[in-house]
Amino acid sequence: MEPIPILVICPRQIDYLNCQNIPEAEKYEFHFMDAPLELSGFSQDFDMIKYLEKCRQYIKQHDIKVVLATRDIPSLLQAQLSQEFAHLRGPSLESSFLCLHKYYTHQKIDFPSSKYEICLLEKEEKENNFFEYIQKIDIPFPWMMKPCTGACSSSIFKANNAQEARDGMAFYKDFVVDNLNHLQPFLVAYLDPNKYPLIRSDSILVEEYIDFPYKCCVDGCVSNGEILIWGISDSHYYSTKPECFADYTFPSNLHKSIQEKLNQGYKKIVQKLIEYGFNNQFIDVEFFISDKGEIKVIEINGRMIPISAPLYRQCLNQGDPYTALISIAMGTRPKNPTFNGLVGGIFYLTTFAKDIAKNLFNFELASQFSNVEVRVSPEQEITEISVSGLTLATVNLVGNSYVEIHDKANNIRRKLLKQSEFSPWN
């Protein structure tokens, strides 16, 4: 039997590793089409329209049966391709866009969330009224500010007062706007600008800061209209840097009644997206949880979590998301995964230092770890640090207890971080 030809668009480093280690790898023939797109979704050199045409030609020339996208912005391309080629299965572009664009996520999904407002950077800057705009927003400080179409918690700022909010907006105007301009021509070409006018604008989401003690991610997929849940992971932040992500562990350690509430919330949100055409793709939803069990949606990602694949493969039976997504794309419902008793975690190696990356991180030693994904290059000059810090690398670990994997993670952090005093530790 000939292997199935699969095109992985805009692959990241971990996609190469995950595809190489996929169960029954002989069944598949992976093709990778690289793109100048950072993990954050930023790029000054990425032409989405030209890349889309390149994908079209490649699919025809190589008889591609499946197109995989495991990142936020490429998921839009995969959605568009699935509408153009009858044999490709995937979501509608509109539904994928609603997952990506954080303002429209809140507006259209209609699920409890933080208070939010939109800031149109070009309008406020032109009228020179950032301060007046800030005064009109009916959200008490502190604020969380983020690009509407950013990814991986990039360029998120916490503003404690009006001056910090103005500083944040100035940063967005000077840096973020230029790095997300590749999205606008694509969105204008394939979505209705009258229905979604913000696609023509440079916009920033302003949100109420939610001080709930728990944050979780419910992960799953939609297969031919059926919602399948893979599991829930717990997100952890440093007590000394509460906006800085430390790790997430799987499966969740929350009470079963809370997990059931999260699962029901996930199904309600995903069912709403199905009404917009979401189908045949992975989707994860992040939630805040209060100590009284109240849940609020943080954001939605209309794709798999590729760094979770090694954890799912080791902690679940029938849990490989790449195999599942290929099955979905071929028209076959994947099997429901079951837990096998192991626990896993993705641990972040983060810095708040400004320096050349090789002065902050031991790249040579990191190359000896097969479970470490490096997110910066040795000569990369780090000059901008957001409130959440800069992630240099992640490491995935599996063991018999949460204590075991946390101890392993801290040991790896000590070995790889050269200036650990600029990294949170507790």
Side-chain angles (χ1 to χ4, degrees), residues 60 72 118 223 249 286 310 343 386:
K60 295 173 183 176
D72 293 291
I118 196 73
S223 175
T249 52
E286 298 176 38
V343 301
S386 74

Side-chain angles (χ1 to χ4, degrees), residues 168-188:
M169 289 175 186
F171 167 75
Y172 291 132
K173 188 60 185 175
D174 291 342
F175 175 75
V176 174
V177 170
D178 290 340
N179 284 275
L180 286 173
N181 278 343
H182 60 278
L183 258 176
Q184 192 172 113
F186 174 84
L187 295 176
V188 170

Side-chain angles (χ1 to χ4, degrees), residues 166-208:
R166 292 182 69 185
D167 292 344
M169 289 175 186
F171 167 75
Y172 291 132
K173 188 60 185 175
D174 291 342
F175 175 75
V176 174
V177 170
D178 290 340
N179 284 275
L180 286 173
N181 278 343
H182 60 278
L183 258 176
Q184 192 172 113
F186 174 84
L187 295 176
V188 170
Y190 296 104
L191 287 176
D192 182 356
N194 294 318
K195 187 174 183 179
Y196 299 108
L198 291 181
I199 64 178
R200 292 188 182 276
S201 303
D202 298 324
S203 51
I204 297 298
L205 188 70
V206 176
E207 292 182 295
E208 168 192 18

Side-chain angles (χ1 to χ4, degrees), residues 378-401:
E379 300 300 328
Q380 183 175 335
E381 189 173 354
I382 298 166
T383 58
E384 298 291 342
I385 300 290
S386 74
V387 67
S388 56
L390 179 82
T391 301
L392 298 168
T394 62
V395 58
N396 64 78
L397 297 166
V398 171
N400 293 304
S401 71

Side-chain angles (χ1 to χ4, degrees), residues 231-256:
I232 303 173
S233 57
D234 296 332
S235 301
H236 303 117
Y237 294 73
Y238 293 105
S239 59
T240 54
K241 293 279 188 180
E243 288 76 49
C244 181
F245 193 68
D247 62 80
Y248 68 85
T249 52
F250 177 85
S252 174
N253 208 27
L254 289 176
H255 192 275
K256 295 299 181 184

Side-chain angles (χ1 to χ4, degrees), residues 12 18 20 47 57 73 102 108 189 238 264 269 293 312 315 395 404 420:
R12 48 190 284 194
N18 284 338
Q20 178 184 340
D47 188 322
Q57 296 303 319
I73 290 174
K102 296 171 180 60
K108 301 296 184 181
Y238 293 105
Q264 293 305 314
I269 289 170
Y312 292 161
C315 299
V395 58
E404 177 188 338
S420 59

Side-chain angles (χ1 to χ4, degrees), residues 31 33 53-64 85:
H31 301 244
M33 189 180 292
E53 179 57 28
K54 186 179 178 181
C55 290
R56 292 186 184 111
Q57 296 303 319
Y58 199 94
I59 290 167
K60 295 173 183 176
Q61 292 170 6
H62 297 271
D63 194 25
I64 295 296
F85 289 85

Side-chain angles (χ1 to χ4, degrees), residues 219-223 226-230 266 270 278 281-283 324-325 328 334:
D219 193 17
C221 61
V222 180
S223 175
E226 181 183 1
I227 300 171
L228 305 175
I229 294 179
W230 239 238
Y266 176 87
V270 175
F278 195 89
Q281 174 61 287
F282 267 76
I283 179 169
L325 190 53
I328 291 171

